[in-house]
Amino acid sequence: MICIGKPYVETVDGQARLCAPVSIGDRGTILWFGVEERYARFFTRRADPFVMALLAMAFRRGLDIRCDAPVSERLLHQLETYHIPTIANSGIGKRFRIHAEAAPGTEPGAGAVGTGFTGGVDSLYTVMQHMPGRVQPGFALTHLTVLNVGAFKGKRYRENFETACGFARRFADEQGLELVCIDTNFNEDLVDVMSVNGLHYISDAVTYRIFSAILALNGLFSVYYLSTSNPFKKFMLDPEKVRGDACYYDLLTVMTCSTGGTTFYPIGGEVTRLQKLIALSDWEPSYRWLHACFTSEGNCGVCRKCSIAQVVFDCLGKLDRYAAVYDLELYRKNREEFIARALMRTGGIHEEGLEELVRASIPITPQLERRARLLSAAVRVTDTYFRDQDADIPFAWK
């Protein structure tokens, strides 16, 4: 069983932390969410964020969750009545129960509207679509977040988190938005999944962890936008096809994990990644802030994501707009290689419509065709070899 004690607030080195003692079998720890002290007044007193943070583990192990503090009535009802049975019946996770008192109503809120900011295509698209003046006033962004919930990897993960906060702060200041950076100790204390490239992999937990951090500040956020990478039409609950990636059922998760005080919305699933890039190509801030890359700082310019973005902008005749974020001289010197990579077929969800755009915009020579076929074959061999192995997977293919 997973046991969650009563939350409490403490200050450590100028950081306000919402903490709760947690025991998992015979192992005990203190989980915490850390923010600037000025945000401490928005901390919840309910167990909601800690339940959310531990949902993926409960699904993996089939462990019941017991809480000493109450859980929001709406959240508890939705998890027990809809979410847990659906995930368990689909075979994605194991069944378990949540033993907690239900807290009726909602906690007082400040009405903030937020979303996470990375500078990536999904993130920038969400921001663009919800800037003041583009949506109804009650749904316009007021806050951006950077969440240290496990996506920052390696020994320097907290340093990378701080770098990301600095990057987001500069963007937020320019756009007139507030920034909230939420730190956690998840990297140290919630390592419970398979290793990829020697790091723990959180695809089955990432949505829950994002929501856990936001629910920790339940007194601040009334609306929070989840930037989803998976088109809604790809929604599925087939464990063989989902393969541990929770983004395939984001629609279910946002519907069943809102609390009444905080409502989650999935954004971006209504369009493809190609359509997001096309939309961003006419939004001026993207020319300086796009960070569609695997690396933590800047754009490497050569990974799969960077290659596709540059080729798309090339096809649209708008590549010069991105001189501030890409090495366009490198691209032009190696243009045929970039185009061949864009034509490479990996079966990824980001490829929809890409080949059609490239072939309609750029003359494809026989040499390019051969190169694209060779790259596609290499991807298929690599994917087949590393499938289901708990081993180092070539990062460029991910």
Side-chain angles (χ1 to χ4, degrees), residues 117-129:
F117 181 81
T118 64
V121 172
D122 300 323
S123 169
L124 274 182
Y125 179 82
T126 298
V127 173
M128 178 187 70
Q129 292 292 85

Side-chain angles (χ1 to χ4, degrees), residues 291-303:
H291 182 204
C293 187
F294 288 117
T295 63
S296 61
E297 297 182 51
N299 288 307
C300 73
V302 297
C303 71

Side-chain angles (χ1 to χ4, degrees), residues 330-348:
L330 174 67
Y331 175 85
R332 292 189 174 108
K333 284 181 179 178
N334 301 278
R335 186 170 182 259
E336 288 199 354
E337 178 66 18
F338 278 96
I339 294 169
R341 291 183 191 181
L343 293 174
M344 180 174 68
R345 298 172 183 172
T346 69

